[in-house]
Amino acid sequence: MHHELEKHYVNRVGWLRAAVLGANDGLLSTTSIVIGVAAAEPERHIIILAALAGMIAGAMSMAAGEYVSVSSQEDTEKADLMREKRELETMPEIELRELARVYENRGVSKETAMQVATELTKHNALEAHARDELGINEITQAKPLQAAMASFGSFAVGALLPFTVSLLAPIHQMVYFQYGFSIIFLMVLGAVSARTGGSHMGIAMLRICFWGTVAMGVTALVGHFFGINVS
């Protein structure tokens, strides 16, 4: 008899969020920059420079922002764990009853809750309190360096498409080529992220294409009117 293990997606949340956000931002922000510049000043070397600058600056900014943000989360988690460790050393009985109440609040009987709390405390008291009282575990634990690297790499990968298009597309149709390729890639990216995360692909694709179109449309208008005014 074959038993199929249940598939879960929550263990992918940390890196998936950073990777999808980075790729979306890399593609969309760089494309929007290129479209805005192309609408204002249709010179290839200016467009290429704008795409390159947007890709490098954006990737560094994403990595730095993600690192700082997740580091703050990690600092908070470490502070909570240190406080919990001190409490376990100074008042273990109170902490034991506190852990038992956590299980009682989840619907476990008082006797069973105390038994579970006692056994888990003997096994690893800090781990039990971190997981069940503070909500910290290996899956949700903050990992700043991993998040920063994922954001940097995914942003750069996403930004490579508009950069490549800026090198190859006909200069007078640059805006249309940028929009067309970006929408196709956004649809693929939305489908992949939805598939990886186990959510509905159609909704993810529609959402990302709609907001992508809004962002690129606004920057195109800004670039167009700015170019006219400068001229």
Side-chain angles (χ1 to χ4, degrees):
M1 188 175 182
H2 298 284
H3 297 277
E4 186 177 347
L5 293 175
E6 191 175 357
K7 182 182 286 187
H8 296 285
Y9 299 95
V10 69
N11 60 321
R12 303 173 180 175
V13 166
W15 64 263
L16 180 61
R17 182 187 69 86
V20 170
L21 178 62
N24 283 348
D25 199 16
L27 174 64
L28 196 50
S29 63
T30 308
T31 301
S32 296
I33 290 171
V34 172
I35 286 178
V37 172
E41 183 65 44
E43 294 289 338
R44 189 176 297 276
H45 68 280
I46 296 176
I47 294 170
I48 293 173
L49 181 60
L52 184 61
M55 179 170 63
I56 295 173
M60 294 299 296
S61 175
M62 282 288 294
E66 194 72 18
Y67 186 84
V68 170
S69 174
V70 180
S71 290
S72 298
Q73 179 187 341
E74 185 184 39
D75 292 342
T76 303
E77 291 177 354
K78 285 181 177 178
D80 281 342
L81 288 173
M82 289 299 296
R83 184 167 52 251
E84 199 67 32
K85 186 178 180 180
R86 287 195 300 269
E87 291 174 353
L88 285 168
E89 292 171 352
T90 57
M91 43 183 170
E93 289 300 322
I94 295 176
E95 286 299 304
L96 178 63
R97 290 195 295 271
E98 197 174 72
L99 186 61
R101 280 197 298 273
V102 171
Y103 301 131
E104 283 184 56
N105 292 335
R106 294 179 183 176
V108 179
S109 66
K110 188 173 183 179
E111 295 77 13
T112 304
M114 180 56 71
Q115 181 182 353
V116 171
T118 302
E119 292 181 5
L120 288 176
T121 298
K122 288 179 181 178
H123 174 69
N124 190 324
L126 184 59
E127 181 184 286
H129 281 268
R131 181 182 61 247
D132 297 322
E133 186 182 345
L134 303 177
I136 302 172
N137 55 53
E138 290 183 359
I139 295 174
T140 60
Q141 191 173 17
K143 299 173 183 176
L145 189 58
Q146 182 189 70
M149 291 176 64
S151 292
F152 180 91
S154 57
F155 187 101
V157 169
L160 274 176
L161 177 71
F163 178 72
T164 304
V165 174
S166 70
L167 293 172
L168 304 175
I171 189 66
H172 295 293
Q173 284 82 42
M174 181 65 70
V175 171
Y176 305 109
F177 272 82
Q178 288 286 349
Y179 175 75
F181 278 103
S182 294
I183 284 295
I184 292 171
F185 196 78
L186 282 172
M187 291 176 65
V188 172
L189 188 60
V192 170
S193 62
R195 177 68 176 175
T196 306
S199 58
H200 193 277
M201 285 193 293
I203 294 175
M205 292 168 65
L206 184 63
R207 182 171 54 222
I208 198 170
C209 287
F210 172 77
W211 289 110
T213 299
V214 170
M216 288 183 281
V218 169
T219 52
L221 288 173
V222 170
H224 176 69
F225 289 119
F226 180 78
I228 291 175
N229 291 335
V230 169
S231 300

